[in-house]
């Protein structure tokens, strides 16, 4: 990604380490297109998530996995900053994106947001989970009859399971780092084994400001969290 002129390059590299193809893209009539995620669907299409988040612009570029030619594009424009963090292909040839939408008035508060696009790269639905507290969506994981979104915010571990058809929540769970609910935590998912998602990160204690490392796991089916400090 070239921050100066807003262009980015995508390349496919084979198992021998050789470049099959390389393409440079110059944006979608926006100031820039900053990549934020990449996924490959069952047909071999490459989906590149990105946009210009400070202008509220989000896009997904669909490339042919064999040739690198762009074969589709889905876009969405919001009136406020919309930051995207992950993309997940869906069974119908479309995809889900997750991120956070800046609240009206700003003040650094955000709401976890999910958008669904169909196989024609058209927006089907948009769902914003608005809580009293700021939440940010980080990752999407497909289950048999639902999707699970994990995120962070005031409650550092945030879990929401949604319907596949309309994005409405089935279950929401939150977890704090300790009894005092510090917000000074940083975590990221590391790997997924079956229905278990593993995390690692750090948090700062509000009592003595010491920094500790933690590990944890999340049952994606039920949303049960286990600490391993």
């Amino acid at each position: 990604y070239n921050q100066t002129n807003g262009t980015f390059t995508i390349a496919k590299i084979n198992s021998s380490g050789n470049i099959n193809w390389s393409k440079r893209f110059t944006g979608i009539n926006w100031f820039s297109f900053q990549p934020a995620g990449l996924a490959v669907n069952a047909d071999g299409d490459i989906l590149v998530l990105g946009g210009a988040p400070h202008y509220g612009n989000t896009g997904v570029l669909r490339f042919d996995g064999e040739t690198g030619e762009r074969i589709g594009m889905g876009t969405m424009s919001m009136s406020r900053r919309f930051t995207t963090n992950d993309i997940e292909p869906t069974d119908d040839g479309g995809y889900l994106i997750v991120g956070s939408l800046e609240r009206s008035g700003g003040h650094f508060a955000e709401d976890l947001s999910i958008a669904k696009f169909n196989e024609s790269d058209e927006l089907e639905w948009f769902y914003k989970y608005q809580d009293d507290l700021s939440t940010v969506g980080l990752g999407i994981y497909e289950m048999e009859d639902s999707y699970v979104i994990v995120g962070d915010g005031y409650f550092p571990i945030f879990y929401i399971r949604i319907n596949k058809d309309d994005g409405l929540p089935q279950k929401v769970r939150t977890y704090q780092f300790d009894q005092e609910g510090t917000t000074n935590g940083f975590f990221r998912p590391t790997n997924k084994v079956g229905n278990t998602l593993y995390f690692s990160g750090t948090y700062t204690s509000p009592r003595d400001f010491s920094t500790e490392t933690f590990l944890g796991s999340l049952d994606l089916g039920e949303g049960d969290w286990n600490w391993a400090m």
Side-chain angles (χ1 to χ4, degrees):
Y1 171 66
N2 188 322
Q3 190 172 7
T4 302
N5 58 21
T7 63
F8 76 93
T9 300
I10 180 172
K12 182 178 181 180
I13 301 173
N14 61 29
S15 58
S16 300
N18 298 317
I19 297 176
N20 286 349
W21 50 258
S22 176
K23 302 287 183 179
R24 184 184 181 192
F25 193 73
T26 56
I28 315 177
N29 298 323
W30 299 337
F31 176 72
S32 66
F33 183 94
Q34 182 175 348
L38 183 147
V40 180
N41 68 12
D43 295 327
D45 297 340
I46 299 172
L47 307 171
V48 179
L49 169 67
H54 289 285
Y55 296 91
N57 295 323
T58 296
V60 175
L61 306 178
R62 187 190 295 261
F63 296 90
D64 185 298
E66 293 299 320
T67 66
E69 297 300 321
R70 183 164 65 86
I71 57 177
M73 177 176 66
T75 61
M76 183 174 66
S77 294
M78 311 296 288
S79 60
R80 300 185 297 278
R81 186 183 72 248
F82 183 59
T83 303
T84 52
N85 292 316
D86 197 17
I87 182 170
E88 175 72 16
T90 54
D91 296 336
D92 60 2
Y95 42 87
L96 279 173
I97 62 174
V98 66
S100 57
L101 177 65
E102 181 185 34
R103 289 185 185 174
S104 178
H107 306 297
F108 303 102
E110 300 172 293
D111 293 314
L112 183 150
S113 301
I114 310 150
K116 168 68 169 62
F117 289 78
N118 62 23
E119 62 180 351
S120 300
D121 301 297
E122 299 168 334
L123 180 65
E124 282 191 350
W125 50 259
F126 177 83
Y127 179 77
K128 180 179 67 172
Y129 179 82
Q130 187 162 1
D131 190 79
D132 292 338
L133 307 170
S134 182
T135 54
V136 176
L138 295 177
I140 315 170
Y141 302 90
E142 183 176 12
M143 308 296 286
E144 184 175 349
D145 62 348
S146 60
Y147 290 100
V148 169
I149 290 87
V150 296
D152 64 2
Y154 178 83
F155 295 103
I157 309 297
F158 186 87
Y159 168 98
I160 178 171
R161 190 172 70 221
I162 65 171
N163 298 330
K164 278 192 171 182
D165 56 351
D166 57 13
L168 295 178
Q170 297 179 5
K171 192 172 190 177
V172 177
R173 302 189 71 174
T174 57
Y175 298 93
Q176 295 180 343
F177 282 110
D178 56 28
Q179 296 291 330
E180 300 182 41
T182 175
T183 61
N184 297 320
F186 177 85
F187 80 97
R188 287 295 183 270
T190 55
N191 64 308
K192 177 178 174 290
V193 180
N195 284 342
T196 301
L197 184 65
Y198 294 91
F199 292 81
S200 65
T202 61
Y203 84 96
T204 303
S205 170
R207 295 183 296 275
D208 57 10
F209 300 103
S210 62
T211 299
E212 298 184 29
T213 300
F214 75 89
L215 301 173
S217 65
L218 179 69
D219 182 327
L220 292 175
E222 297 300 324
D224 295 330
W225 173 261
N226 294 303
W227 292 107
M229 302 298 290

